[in-house]
């Protein structure tokens, strides 16, 4: 990754960290979960509201590093308004990016600001930070839908 691209990605992450989208717990919600990254202490409480087959709202309260908080901001902005199956596909795309050890080229058309986390994938200790909000969203959505969460290796 070029130095310019790396700097742009860092800027996107910092912008989402300083100006998080959809932060603050809101009602109504169908499920609420609390996830903690035990390796670093990052935490997120996340609420999901699903109406029909659409993710109507995601709200959260996050504490921790800029990567985990920015990722929650990006994730919530990406999935709100999408059909649940489309949002789950975004989750899979982001998970693939994070598990790619920096070798996966993200699709900007699909992940939008989520591509900024491509460099994070090179640092295994930071991958869990980037995935915290996404895993919380998947867990909360599964609770709303009454299904079991399939654990993926993060």
């Amino acid at each position: 990754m070029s130095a310019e691209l790396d700097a742009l990605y860092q800027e996107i992450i910092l912008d989402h960290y300083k100006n998080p989208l959809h932060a603050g717990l809101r009602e109504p919600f169908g499920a609420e979960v609390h996830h903690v990254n035990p390796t670093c202490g990052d935490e997120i409480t996340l609420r999901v509201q699903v109406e029909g087959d659409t993710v109507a709202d995601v709200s959260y309260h996050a504490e921790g590093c800029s990567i985990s908080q920015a990722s929650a901001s990006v994730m919530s902005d990406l999935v709100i308004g999408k059909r649940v199956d489309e949002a789950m596909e975004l989750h899979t795309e982001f998970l693939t990016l994070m598990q790619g050890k920096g070798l996966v080229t993200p699709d900007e058309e699909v992940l939008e600001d989520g591509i900024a986390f491509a460099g994070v994938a090179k640092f295994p200790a930071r991958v869990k930070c980037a995935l915290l909000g996404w895993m919380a969203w998947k867990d909360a959505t599964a609770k709303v839908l009454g299904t079991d969460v399939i654990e993926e290796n993060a």
Side-chain angles (χ1 to χ4, degrees):
M1 187 164 20
S2 74
E4 295 85 21
L5 193 55
D6 196 37
L8 173 64
Y9 286 176
Q10 286 179 11
E11 191 176 309
I12 291 170
I13 290 171
L14 283 174
D15 186 49
H16 276 277
Y17 172 64
K18 291 176 182 174
N19 305 294
L21 304 172
H22 312 289
L25 296 172
R26 290 186 297 278
E27 295 183 9
F29 62 95
E32 177 179 290
V33 298
H34 182 76
H35 282 213
V36 177
N37 180 348
T39 57
C40 66
D42 290 352
E43 295 186 38
I44 188 167
T45 300
L46 183 137
R47 293 177 174 175
V48 172
Q49 176 70 9
V50 174
E51 294 173 3
D53 64 351
T54 302
V55 180
D57 193 29
V58 175
S59 64
Y60 61 91
H61 173 74
E63 293 182 14
C65 71
S66 59
I67 292 171
S68 69
Q69 292 190 53
S71 185
S73 173
V74 169
M75 174 277 303
S76 60
D77 202 47
L78 280 172
V79 302
I80 292 173
K82 298 272 192 314
R83 287 192 333 260
V84 171
D85 60 333
E86 292 173 326
M88 286 294 177
E89 287 173 18
L90 289 169
H91 173 275
T92 301
E93 284 286 320
F94 191 77
L95 184 64
T96 300
L97 174 64
M98 289 296 94
Q99 293 178 335
K101 297 180 172 60
L103 303 175
V104 174
T105 302
D107 184 343
E108 186 174 1
E109 294 287 315
V110 175
L111 288 178
E112 299 176 19
D113 280 357
I115 64 169
F117 296 88
V120 173
K122 297 178 202 164
F123 304 98
R126 307 305 273 160
V127 167
K128 287 187 185 287
C129 300
L131 287 174
L132 184 65
W134 288 86
M135 294 306 192
W137 172 78
K138 184 177 181 188
D139 185 20
T141 302
K143 284 184 177 194
V144 168
L145 301 177
T147 60
D148 291 329
V149 173
I150 297 169
E151 286 299 318
E152 295 163 345
N153 296 329

